[in-house]
Amino acid sequence: MAVTLADVAARAGVSSATVSRVLNGNYPVAGSTRERVQRAVEELDYVVNGQARALAAATSDLVGVLVNDVADPFFGVIASALQGEIGAGGAEPGGGKLAVVCNTGGSPEAELTYLTLLERQRAAGVVLTGGAVENDQHTGAVAARLARLAASGTRIVLCGRPPLSLPGDAGSVTTLAFDNRGGARRLTEHLLSLGHRRIGCVTGPVGRSTTRHRLEGHQAALAAHGMGPGTPGGIAAERLTVHGGYDRASGYDATLELLRRDPGLTAVVAANDTVALGVCAALRDRGLDVPGDVSVAGFDDLPFSVDASPALTTVRIPLQEAGARAGRVVMGRQQPPPGGLASIPTELMVRASTAPPAADRA
Amino acid sequence: MAVTLADVAARAGVSSATVSRVLNGNYPVAGSTRERVQRAVEELDYVVNGQARALAAATSDLVGVLVNDVADPFFGVIASALQGEIGAGGAEPGGGKLAVVCNTGGSPEAELTYLTLLERQRAAGVVLTGGAVENDQHTGAVAARLARLAASGTRIVLCGRPPLSLPGDAGSVTTLAFDNRGGARRLTEHLLSLGHRRIGCVTGPVGRSTTRHRLEGHQAALAAHGMGPGTPGGIAAERLTVHGGYDRASGYDATLELLRRDPGLTAVVAANDTVALGVCAALRDRGLDVPGDVSVAGFDDLPFSVDASPALTTVRIPLQEAGARAGRVVMGRQQPPPGGLASIPTELMVRASTAPPAADRA
DNA sequence: CTGTTAGCGCCTTCAA
DNA sequence: TTGAAGGCGCTAACAG
């Protein structure tokens, strides 16, 4: 079997308590004793049993990170930055915490299942990333679970999620919300100011907070230009909105559908950059030039977007910074924002994929 | 404090042993008793303490995944697929295992540190992904740690790593190696067969197995065309090789350097697709057309590569399949390949970024 | 400064 | 089929 504290203690001729104290360095120990213990540790290649330690000390070395899918750069970047902050890199005493990455695929059930699993592990913290499913029952279930976690000392951070009010006013939850609405609005305003009026919108999955916020921003910009709901232009705008997933194929398919509804549209805003690539591909396959015939804009400013050609106009979300901050907060190494809520600003990045509309094609 | 087994037992009017048996379902329990216990569990919202269970049963719910960086799609895709296999999605009894994702950043020290941390947690399995640092001392240190882990029952899988012989013939290690050499060779052969002779090579960091294998494949193709080391063409080829990181900036900078060394080169093979995007950007900034003036090829076939424009010629590695397989093997749900070693084939994907060379420019 | 003594919460023989 | 009891490996008072 594995070497235990007792083995080390025996070899060093001290009690196991002393070994524990040397290992944790949280209690005075004589220099000579310390050395003897350290030698014994090395000779025996001793490695503490984290589970036993966790049980005895009621601590945990784990931080859970819920993401839709780590393969999606949006979440990959957040997870990476977060892991960098909590991990062994930082000079954390004891080597930092381990990141448990959980792919929920956007499924409410998976989300709850993973929260239970993390509760089992008595995780030191949990970070929920990305938009939330907007369903009262599910929201309530998540809130209840988070409240229990928070009550038991687990730090909770919502990163890119709307704030959540926990029942029973349990321990605090920190929310780092992205300004999706503002970003989407500025993006559509950019297109409007270029002269576009027939703007297709390939938005995200229905029933999700991110989708709603970005769509609201888009519609707010339209409304400000007299193209709000109820107006003739507004009706057109609604006809030019298609929901889809966050993958390339969605963008491709949605674009074909949009072109069917209005062959003369001059711009498309996509749910995110990945979708925007699909939009561009579909337009190209239809013989349309970007941005000559149709302007295209994405969202998120994922790493590859600047290298697309044409380089993608998009809305930058500082994912890396947000992930790092979430990591620091969940480690208790940085003060939560006042009120537990911070709005992360987004920034319009105008690049080559948007331009003034050409003369009408249809 | 949290609800414990004893609380549930008291409420159900049974012993804690019985509750344990109901929970684990690995021992006969009378139907009525079982029901009473389950009711108590629900009423009390009981959640087992994973650490206590792990300590008592000498098991673990964790699987470690070492990656360079999850934000890099190469690793993100592997990690995602792996997590999907081991996670709560599968109908694993007990809800599957949790994936602990560790960003090593390619640092040998970080690698060892994380292996120690995972040993502390008595991880059920460890998957090491991506190339290895080729340094005898470090290789030995890793092998020693893995041997100890394997000896204590931890399943080890190397995914995209060269095989490793463990000292003391400890428990088996499964290796899923990518055929980087063959892929690189076929890629360069493709360029040669198009007529290219002045081929720049932006390869990966020095001292890493992946870099070496891809470079060997490249050089083997050249040698087969009489451009091996020692020949005049061979000398040119060596001058046209630049090492860099796996990021876009490396590709950009390396390309400027290559153009300085040979303004007339007609093709560039990049260390991977991300680097290839940087190469394309540099060429464009120099006023060169891809593939009109210079052909460019990547490696890995990352998700965005097909959407680059021009679409990237590259070598496909089935990362998702490999990650999923690694997950199944590390869970003991799939037989390891015979001999513990499988070579994952790679596939040349010819797309639009490569074409025959134009007439000489310089 | 160091040893002794209790548990942490659960699983698992051994008896009944 | 169930209960009682011991121990997994470590930490944290409490003495000394």
Side-chain angles (χ1 to χ4, degrees), chain A residues 4-5 17 20-21 24 46 53 56:
Chain A
T4 73
L5 246 206
S20 170
R21 297 198 262 252
N24 294 305
Y46 171 71
R53 165 183 287 180

Side-chain angles (χ1 to χ4, degrees), chain A residues 92-174:
Chain A
E92 288 293 321
K97 305 235 181 271
L98 295 171
V100 175
V101 173
C102 309
N103 276 2
T104 66
S107 147
E109 298 78 45
E111 204 162 274
L112 293 174
T113 301
Y114 277 119
L115 286 178
T116 299
L117 257 34
L118 291 169
E119 187 175 352
R120 272 195 195 168
Q121 300 299 324
R122 304 296 188 261
V126 173
V127 179
L128 313 211
T129 67
V133 170
E134 301 201 302
N135 166 304
D136 285 346
Q137 193 197 330
H138 178 245
T139 303
V142 168
R145 271 233 179 18
L146 292 184
R148 290 184 46 184
L149 282 165
S152 70
T154 299
R155 285 212 188 74
I156 314 278
V157 178
L158 306 181
C159 181
R161 273 212 173 207
L164 204 58
S165 66
L166 298 196
D169 157 74
S172 66
V173 170
T174 298

Side-chain angles (χ1 to χ4, degrees), chain B residues 179-188 217 299 315 346-348:
Chain B
D179 181 23
N180 284 306
R181 201 184 275 111
R185 176 169 180 158
R186 285 190 298 280
L187 179 59
T188 296
F299 215 106
V315 175
T346 54
E347 182 186 1
L348 176 64

